[in-house]
Amino acid sequence: MATKLVEVKHIKKYFPVGKDSFLHAVDDVSFEIEKGEIYGIVGESGSGKSTIGRCILRLLEIDEGEVFFAKERIDDQTKSQMAPIRPQMQMVFQNPLASFNPKKYIGATFRELGKVYHLSKEELNERIINLLELINLPADVLARMPNQLSGGQLQRLAVARCLLLNPKFIVADEPVSALDVSVQAQILNLILDLRDKMGLTILFISHDLNVVQRICDKVAVVYLGTIVEQATKEELFLHTAHPYTKALMNVKPIEHPSLRSDKEVLMGDIPSAVDVKEGCRFAGRCPKCEKGLCDCVTPPLVAINENHFVACHHPL
Ligand SMILES: Nc1ncnc2c1ncn2[C@@H]1O[C@H](COP(=O)(O)OP(=O)(O)OP(=O)(O)O)[C@@H](O)[C@H]1O
Ligand SMILES: [Mg+2]
């Protein structure tokens, strides 16, 4: 039977804005990730994807809810209690430059991380050699500065860096968004390969359903801090139930991130997440909105079948 590695229960993260207002970045989000699974979170810019990832890794503290890692509750642990857990959970960022000091050689960044976690010189060297083999780059990249590498090479190295401590769980926050399509495919293949070879469990964040379809086993579609649809990949793409998911699916793939336009995504702007009111958050943009219901009553996330959940009064 599959075992859960990560459990997120009713987490909330509100950011104060102004005097008495709060931005509901993550608003009662729950999901589970099984060992070895790639779990996707997809949604437009500002929907709360990164905040969810950061809350799980405790780069941000949640306001309410619970987070479990390997059956252990971690959101309330002290710094010293977290110390042995931290290396087991790592993050890959959208911009590979964020993982490296622009003024240091790549090798120095790896060595520093090894030092922080008390790896012996031999152990560190062995791990680096193995990782370079995994990501298919020659050892001479260690003697280069970040600006002497391509975006794709650097993102491979960012993945390797996050694997240095043998993590069990990775949050990959838009790891391919800054790369053009041909390089995207290489990185996605690398991630799939690593999952298979190392048994990694991955939370994969993206705004691109095409990418999610390629790589994820299960998917949560988020809108303004809430999950509106959650399903296995097959279910989500074959039996799309939420009008928002459907709208996201109509986005055409693009050749390069610089060509992306928010107008392509959906009609109208994503509304404010400040002091959100009762009612479906998508109501104002939804072609199926029923006045007096959708704009007044928040739809709960309910099961359509055992693999598929939707929060909508009028699912497709
Ligand atoms: N430290 C912060 N203080 C105040 N507001 C924040 C903070 N971090 C994020 N937010 C807000 O929370 C909301 C969710 O942000 P988040 O970065 O999680 O979105 P996202 O889905 O990752 O977007 P993107 O696709 O652009 O990366 C946004 O409205 C954002 O402006
Ligand atoms: Mg983000």
Side-chain angles (χ1 to χ4, degrees), residues 216-246:
C216 298
D217 304 306
K218 285 192 195 135
V219 184
V221 181
V222 292
Y223 188 74
L224 274 187
T226 62
I227 294 180
V228 295
E229 186 162 9
Q230 189 177 34
T232 55
K233 175 177 67 182
E234 292 74 20
E235 266 289 312
L236 189 82
F237 286 90
L238 278 176
H239 307 293
T240 312
H242 201 287
Y244 176 63
T245 313
K246 194 78 197 169

Side-chain angles (χ1 to χ4, degrees), residues 16 18 32 37 72-73 106-107 148 208 226 251 279 316:
E32 295 167 355
E37 192 167 67
E72 196 176 345
R73 186 166 174 191
I106 299 291
Q148 295 173 321
D208 186 341
T226 62
V251 181
L316 303 168

